[in-house]
Amino acid sequence: MSSELQVFRLPDLGEGLTEAELVNWLVAVGDQIKVDQPIAEVETAKSMVEVPSPYAGTVAELHGQAGETLDVGKPLISIAPVGAAPAEPEAPASAEDPVSTGVVTDAEASAAAETYRTEEKAGSGNVLIGYGTPGGATGGRTRPRKGSVAVVDAAPAAAPEGSVAVPEAPMEPVVAGTRIPGKLSAVISPLVRKMARDHGVSLDAINGSGASGLIMRRDVEAAISAPEASAAPSAPAQAPAEAAAPAAASGDLDSRTGLAVSARTPVRGVRKAVAANMTKSRTEIPEATVWVDVDATALLDMRAELKKRSPHDTPGLLAFIARFVTAGLKKYPALNTRFETGTDGSQEIVGFEGINLGFAAQTDRGLVVPSVRNAHQLSARELDAEIRRLTAVAREGKATPTELGSGTFTLNNYGVFGVDGSAAIINYPEVAMLGVGRIIDKPWVVNGELAVRKVTELTLAFDHRVCDGETAAGFLRYVADCIENPGGALADM
């Protein structure tokens, strides 16, 4: 019965992520599950999400254990179809008989997973857990059938007359990636599209049994059940000892320092994503930094007065500064762009009709940057409410990849950590970041006389490829002037 198993691979959970940590299984072997039923909780570098099953049936195998990091495109769960008996464990097959066992080699599984990840990044239009992959819905994945290398010669002879034809393995990448205009509209369910792609079935070869030729789930299942399209079960999951290598035993000596190693902490999840993003930013972006000290006394006084009138819904200081930033980006749009380099070496600066304002938020999982979408349309009070909401969901690990990966400019309030300034690293692929330091009492000259004022430091890191110092300084000075004269600035916005 193993040939009947439906193997669901870990999908791209958004933003082209390549791996996820398996936090908890929501089902067990032998459980009966339904389509769209959550089967596992996984934590990506962006958020914690529940993964639903595209298949109904009996759970036959769980590929992985809690705490294990799984690659996108690798098997997550195997399910016996409704009405089929759960697959019995089979003895390992010999290398001479790959067709009879249907076992996929490690090389084939890795190749299939890599193809899967590449195509997910290109964008399939598939909606799995509430948000789509990047790109349009016109392209089809070209992933080869599992075990296709081993059964290329045998598959044509095994196909009975009248069965639904599936292209032979060598032709699959070409056929599966080709769409007849308007054909895709005959498939409405994203789960049906995903099922077809997972099993290497070309939708172009299927005549839908639904109204107006609509391709139904049963049509794809019929194509999958054809002998030539039978998919081999994925390679068994690694043993726990292989899947999650333990940290180095205490007492190991470091060859460089001669000291005992106290611990080795795997870099994964948010920390791994931050490390990769910061490295890419430093490697690709020729950044420059400008800064200025700002008298924020008037802003604090204005907020204190508002708080007296309305104690419960007065915006925080960050919301007011965010409002000034969005106004400044309208005046200096070069800082609200993205610098792109094409595969042919061509370069262009991409501008946006709108501002998604990201802000740095410290969580138990590390530093994340949720973004307020269309922040330029919001008042200070509305910005405050959205900042509080996004901070809460980010700290709970429930922010979506869209909320965490769609910013066009970042505001970083590192003053909450008690520091004055920072040589910030730009949040790639954005081109600028504004940092706000702590607000402290400092001597300040006011109308020719020395006074104690509330002073903060603003620091702007910017990509020198998109603008020169004049633009960066103009934006920074605009925000500083708004902070020093908040009443007049808000009146003009």
Side-chain angles (χ1 to χ4, degrees), residues 124-133 189-191 193-194 197:
S124 64
N126 174 56
V127 178
L128 182 63
I129 52 175
Y131 42 82
T133 56
S189 169
L191 288 174
R193 292 201 301 271
K194 176 166 181 55
R197 286 192 294 266

Side-chain angles (χ1 to χ4, degrees), residues 2 90 93 97-105 108 146-147 151 231-235:
S2 62
E90 298 179 2
D97 191 23
V99 177
S100 62
T101 62
V103 174
V104 180
T105 65
E108 290 170 334
K146 291 166 283 189
V151 298
S234 298

Side-chain angles (χ1 to χ4, degrees), residues 7 98 127 224 264 310 327 333 442 444 468:
V7 179
V127 178
I224 294 172
R264 292 183 185 273
S310 182
K442 278 189 176 183
W444 199 262
D468 297 324

Side-chain angles (χ1 to χ4, degrees), residues 429-478:
E430 298 168 14
V431 299
M433 173 187 288
L434 179 67
V436 183
R438 60 177 178 165
I439 300 176
I440 59 174
D441 291 340
K442 278 189 176 183
W444 199 262
V445 177
V446 180
N447 297 325
E449 296 183 359
L450 195 62
V452 177
R453 307 290 283 184
K454 302 292 185 181
V455 177
T456 186
E457 181 180 288
L458 300 182
T459 306
L460 178 70
F462 67 99
D463 187 336
H464 224 314
R465 296 174 298 178
V466 303
C467 69
D468 297 324
E470 180 180 4
T471 299
F475 168 80
L476 186 63
R477 190 64 254 173
Y478 175 86

Side-chain angles (χ1 to χ4, degrees), residues 370-393:
S371 59
V372 180
R373 297 177 65 82
N374 296 311
H376 59 291
Q377 298 176 350
L378 305 181
S379 65
R381 184 170 280 107
E382 291 169 331
L383 284 168
D384 184 72
E386 188 64 2
I387 288 172
R388 292 178 188 276
R389 184 192 71 81
L390 288 169
T391 299
V393 296

Side-chain angles (χ1 to χ4, degrees), residues 235-308:
Q238 289 181 314
E242 299 174 353
S250 59
D252 286 355
L253 290 180
D254 177 58
S255 59
R256 179 176 177 274
T257 62
L259 299 175
V261 176
S262 61
R264 292 183 185 273
T265 305
V267 179
R268 60 189 184 190
V270 169
R271 178 51 51 196
K272 185 174 183 179
V274 169
N277 201 49
M278 296 300 98
T279 300
K280 195 166 188 177
S281 179
R282 277 289 197 229
T283 302
E284 294 189 14
I285 299 178
E287 66 184 38
T289 306
V290 290
W291 61 90
V292 64
D293 287 340
V294 181
D295 180 2
T297 307
L299 178 59
L300 269 67
D301 290 345
M302 183 190 76
R303 184 176 182 276
E305 185 62 30
L306 290 173
K307 196 168 183 64
K308 289 179 182 178

